[in-house]
Amino acid sequence: MGRTAAIILAAGKGSRMGSQIHKQYLELKGKPMLYFALKAFESSPIDDIILVTGPGEVDYCQKDIVDAYGFTKVRTIIEGGKERYHSVYEGLKSIVDCESVLIHDGARPCITTKVIEEALAGARTYKACVVGMPVKDTIKVSDDRGYAAITPDRNSLWLIQTPQAFEYQLVWKAYERLLSSESYQTGITDDAMVVETMTQEKVKLIPGDYANIKVTTPEDMEIAKVLLNRIYGNE
Ligand code: CTP
Ligand code: MG
C-alpha cells in the first residue's frame, strides 16, 4: 500500500468564536486546541501530516506546538488561503507521492485514532468517503422570510464531519477543476462537495462519532473540555 497523508486545517480566523486568539490555538486542558488533532493523527497509521495555518502563524506552530510537543509526522507547515477550500488546495499541492489523503479540521479536537483508521479504510474501499452521523433533531429548510418550508425525511439526513478521506489523485483533480472554474466557488463547505460537483465519483458516508464536534462558538469550548476528558482522562 502507498503512503498516506493528512492535511490538518488551521488557517481559519474563528470569527464565530469572537476571541482575539484564533480558536484553533485557544487552550483546552492546558494545551492549544490544535494539539489534540495533531496527537490523534500522530498516533494513527497515517504517514505524513501537512499542517495548514494562517499568515504569520507558521513559526508559532512549528516552535510552540510541533517542536514543543515532539510531533514527528508533521512534514511541512504552510500558509492557507482566504476560504477553507483555498487552504485545502494549498495542502494538496504540497503533497508528493501519496495514495490516500485525509482532510481534517484542526477545530475538531475530539477526533480519535479509531475514526481516523475507519476513514482511511473507507478511502481505500470507496475512493471517496466522509465521516458523519445520522441527525437526531428534525431539520427544516426555511423560506427567505423565516417560515418553515420543507421538512426533509430525517432518516436520510447526516451531519457531516471530518476527516474526509480520498484517493489522492481523485481529490487533487477535483480541486484543480474547482480552482479553475470560478462559477462553482460559492457555498463550498466541505471536500465531499468538491468531489461531488467536479467528478463522477460517489462519496460514501460512514458513521464517525457524535463527540467529533467542530468547535465553533464559545459554548463548544465547554463541551469540548468534557469530551476530551472522556477520551484522555481527567488530569
Ligand atoms: N480553515 C482554513 N482556512 C480557511 C478557513 C477555515 O484552514 N480559510 C479551517 C479552520 O481553521 C477550521 C476548519 O477549516 O479548522 C473549519 O472551518 P471553520 O470551523 O469555519 O473555522 P473558521 O473559518 O476559523 O471559523 P469562522 O467560520 O467562525 O470564522
Ligand atoms: Mg469558516
Side-chain angles (χ1 to χ4, degrees), residues 9-17 23-24 52 81-84 87 105-107 214-216:
L9 297 170
K13 291 193 166 71
S15 50
R16 285 169 288 178
M17 185 61 74
K23 66 179 178 183
Q24 58 272 28
V52 187
K82 188 166 172 285
E83 303 293 337
R84 183 184 181 279
S87 299
D105 296 331
K214 182 155 67 70
V215 178
T216 306

Side-chain angles (χ1 to χ4, degrees), residues 9 16 23 28 69 101 130 152 155 160 163 172 180 212 233 235:
L9 297 170
R16 285 169 288 178
K23 66 179 178 183
L28 286 167
Y69 296 106
V101 61
V130 302
N155 291 322
I160 300 305
W172 171 240
S180 64
N212 182 20
E235 9 67 88

Side-chain angles (χ1 to χ4, degrees), residues 144-158:
D144 51 13
R145 295 183 309 140
Y147 289 91
I150 303 167
T151 307
D153 175 13
R154 189 169 59 193
N155 291 322
S156 63
L157 294 176
W158 286 61

Side-chain angles (χ1 to χ4, degrees), residues 112-207:
T112 58
T113 54
K114 177 170 176 282
V115 174
I116 293 169
E117 283 167 24
E118 286 164 359
L120 181 57
R124 288 181 168 139
T125 308
Y126 303 108
K127 292 188 181 177
C129 141
V130 302
V131 305
M133 292 305 282
V135 302
K136 295 177 185 173
D137 297 300
T138 295
I139 305 282
K140 288 190 190 290
V141 180
S142 73
D143 65 17
D144 51 13
R145 295 183 309 140
Y147 289 91
I150 303 167
T151 307
D153 175 13
R154 189 169 59 193
N155 291 322
S156 63
L157 294 176
W158 286 61
L159 290 169
I160 300 305
Q161 308 172 338
T162 69
Q164 305 211 343
F166 308 94
E167 193 178 271
Y168 175 77
Q169 287 302 332
L170 172 73
V171 70
W172 171 240
K173 222 180 299 163
Y175 267 89
E176 277 202 311
R177 285 181 194 150
L178 175 76
L179 271 287
S180 64
S181 64
E182 242 156 68
S183 55
Y184 287 104
Q185 294 178 15
T186 46
I188 298 278
T189 52
D190 77 344
D191 313 296
M193 268 181 90
V194 181
V195 169
E196 288 158 37
T197 27
M198 296 295 152
T199 77
Q200 303 290 314
E201 208 62 52
K202 288 272 210 188
V203 179
K204 177 71 174 170
L205 307 178
I206 64 166

